[in-house]
Amino acid sequence: MKNKLEEDNLIGFFNISHALPIPIELMKKRDINVEEYLDSLNLAMIDTFGSLYGPRIERRGVWYLSGSLSYELLSRKYADVVRAHKELWKKENMFEGRELWGIAMDVSEYSSIFGEANALGYFEVSAEVRRRHKAYREYPTGTNIWVFSGKPDRVFSSLYRRVEYVVRTGGSELTP
């Protein structure tokens, strides 16, 4: 993430598993100037954790989901936020010559939030939403990296078949 931002690329960071100050502090410890990248719009943070549980940081570049956040509706809400931020990138002429990256930390939390069966349902629906929504049809798309720290269950197997990169963390194990 640091390298991609330093190369002036665009990143959407989906925070699922921790109150937003925690990933922000982790990024700062890795010498990522979070405030600068949020202000420049190169970094968009979609704070799912804050959307579900309430604590929020109101500032440019940080987005929240509104209304019901059931597994049936969540992917549509994400797509709406992605479209809104991509509209800003388009308005600021930021797509030219830049890569787009989506990073989701930590998608195993969907199993904790919704249960395994509903998490599988969410990923089924999200694949369809990503295929049809304006955010992905009318604007440039990029590479998604989904980080998964849970046990290798049906959710992980489903994810592994669906996305370009799933990084499984478990001690020192990384599996692309």
Side-chain angles (χ1 to χ4, degrees):
M1 186 169 149
K2 179 181 178 183
N3 291 342
K4 293 300 177 185
L5 286 167
E6 287 176 348
E7 293 168 359
D8 197 32
N9 291 303
L10 308 175
I11 293 181
F13 179 82
F14 295 78
N15 174 49
I16 301 162
S17 52
H18 298 287
L20 195 55
I22 293 170
I24 288 175
E25 283 306 310
L26 289 172
M27 290 177 205
K28 288 179 179 179
K29 286 181 180 181
R30 284 155 180 82
D31 296 322
I32 297 173
N33 189 336
V34 178
E35 288 84 6
E36 175 187 324
Y37 291 119
L38 287 170
D39 289 341
S40 71
L41 299 177
N42 285 62
L43 176 61
M45 298 182 93
I46 299 86
D47 187 13
T48 308
F49 186 92
S51 299
L52 287 167
Y53 301 112
R56 296 180 177 213
I57 296 173
E58 300 295 336
R59 67 154 352 270
R60 178 181 170 109
V62 176
W63 297 80
Y64 293 94
L65 309 171
S66 60
S68 174
L69 297 177
S70 66
Y71 75 93
E72 299 98 333
L73 298 174
L74 186 60
S75 58
R76 174 67 185 203
K77 305 259 181 177
Y78 278 143
D80 289 343
V81 168
V82 168
R83 181 194 44 74
H85 198 80
K86 284 183 174 182
E87 285 176 0
L88 281 176
W89 281 338
K90 181 179 179 181
K91 180 181 170 190
E92 299 292 325
N93 297 314
M94 294 180 73
F95 288 120
E96 187 73 32
R98 291 184 170 102
E99 298 173 5
L100 272 68
W101 291 83
I103 301 169
M105 291 284 297
D106 170 350
V107 295
S108 57
E109 287 295 314
Y110 290 125
S111 293
S112 301
I113 295 166
F114 300 127
E116 183 179 300
N118 290 338
L120 286 167
Y122 162 74
F123 290 115
E124 292 287 334
V125 170
S126 70
E128 274 304 302
V129 168
R130 283 192 315 275
R131 192 170 70 80
R132 297 175 183 227
H133 196 279
K134 289 165 62 168
Y136 307 100
R137 290 188 19 226
E138 296 180 8
Y139 297 97
T141 59
T143 302
N144 291 322
I145 298 174
W146 292 10
V147 176
F148 185 91
S149 66
K151 61 184 190 310
D153 55 12
R154 293 185 320 152
V155 173
F156 180 70
S157 299
S158 176
L159 289 173
Y160 195 78
R161 287 191 308 272
R162 290 175 194 285
V163 297
E164 296 167 56
Y165 295 99
V166 177
V167 178
R168 177 162 162 62
T169 62
S172 61
E173 173 190 357
L174 293 179
T175 306

